DNA sequence: TGTGGTACTGCGCATCGCACACTACTGTGC
DNA sequence: GCACAGTAGTGTGCGATGCGCAGTACCACA
């Protein structure tokens, strides 16, 4: 409610983060969650990632395939398709522009 | 819905942006809106700014005083109080950490 | 009189991250 | 055999927040 909340900062950026960690290697939800947490987004919730993956898939940015595992439940892998790569690129540009604007605002203390 | 939406990126950051533009000079809503748009947040909605000001005030980060204007309606000025300055500082730190994490994620293309 | 710019309020909506509960499979230890 | 932890996914509903839009009000100018 008050105080600085990372949750709100994630809005609109989690999509981008998920696309980013899928750029070089396909991944399944649980693994992507670990990648994001390892990367520094330590407070991310599991439901957020699964939800994001479903949204990105519904939006046509990802393809998916199921792989049975010998050490647990099946894994639903996701992979970037061309539209996803375009989105990642565009999103990155928007992010950089936005971040740059914010940095300027925060640092104009002369 | 699809495409890259600046709206979502603002979530949680608008607070910070408003605190930032109030750091050096008090301001009233309409003026703060102009400052933010000038600074680069061109697509920001007026209701967002007014709402944010009310929230920040309710949270105890701002003081306010009304100044009658000779060329239009009265103006409700807002000013940072000590809690607001603390919040600005902390928020800035959180933002920089978060932005740094995202930049790393987006640029790990070897 | 009416049109446009200034300035603020309130209502309701859409998005999205998240907590929580639930299902389900595997391996380990009692 | 059974409880338990770790892995993996789905579905529901909530809360925070930016935004569109309507409404109010004041001023200047034609």
């Amino acid at each position: 409610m008050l105080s600085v909340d990372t949750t709100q900062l994630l809005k609109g950026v989690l999509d981008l983060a998920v696309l980013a960690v899928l750029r070089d290697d396909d991944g399944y939800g649980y693994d992507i969650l670990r990648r994001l947490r390892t990367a520094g987004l330590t407070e991310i919730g599991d439901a957020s990632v699964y939800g994001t993956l479903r949204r990105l898939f519904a939006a046509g940015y990802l393809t998916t395939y199921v792989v049975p595992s010998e050490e647990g439940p099946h894994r639903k892998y996701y992979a970037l398709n061309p539209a996803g790569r375009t989105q990642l690129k565009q999103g990155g540009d928007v992010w950089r522009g936005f971040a740059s604007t914010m940095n300027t605002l925060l640092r104009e203390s002369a």
Side-chain angles (χ1 to χ4, degrees), chain A residues 3-24:
Chain A
S3 86
V4 191
D5 189 4
T6 323
T7 290
Q8 293 301 323
L9 290 180
L10 271 178
K11 299 261 171 158
V13 180
L14 184 52
D15 289 29
L16 203 51
V18 169
L19 291 174
V21 297
L22 284 177
R23 179 181 38 211
D24 297 328

Side-chain angles (χ1 to χ4, degrees), chain A residues 13-70:
Chain A
V13 180
L14 184 52
D15 289 29
L16 203 51
V18 169
L19 291 174
V21 297
L22 284 177
R23 179 181 38 211
D24 297 328
D25 301 288
D26 299 359
Y28 55 95
Y30 204 77
D31 180 47
I32 291 171
L33 178 64
R34 274 188 301 233
R35 292 192 205 172
L36 292 172
R37 286 188 171 150
T38 302
L41 304 176
T42 52
E43 299 183 29
I44 218 170
D46 60 332
S48 309
V49 172
Y50 287 118
T52 299
L53 284 169
R54 279 177 248 163
R55 256 188 305 112
L56 290 174
F57 176 72
Y61 298 137
L62 302 178
T63 54
T64 186
Y65 51 96
V66 173
V67 175
S69 166
E70 291 159 5

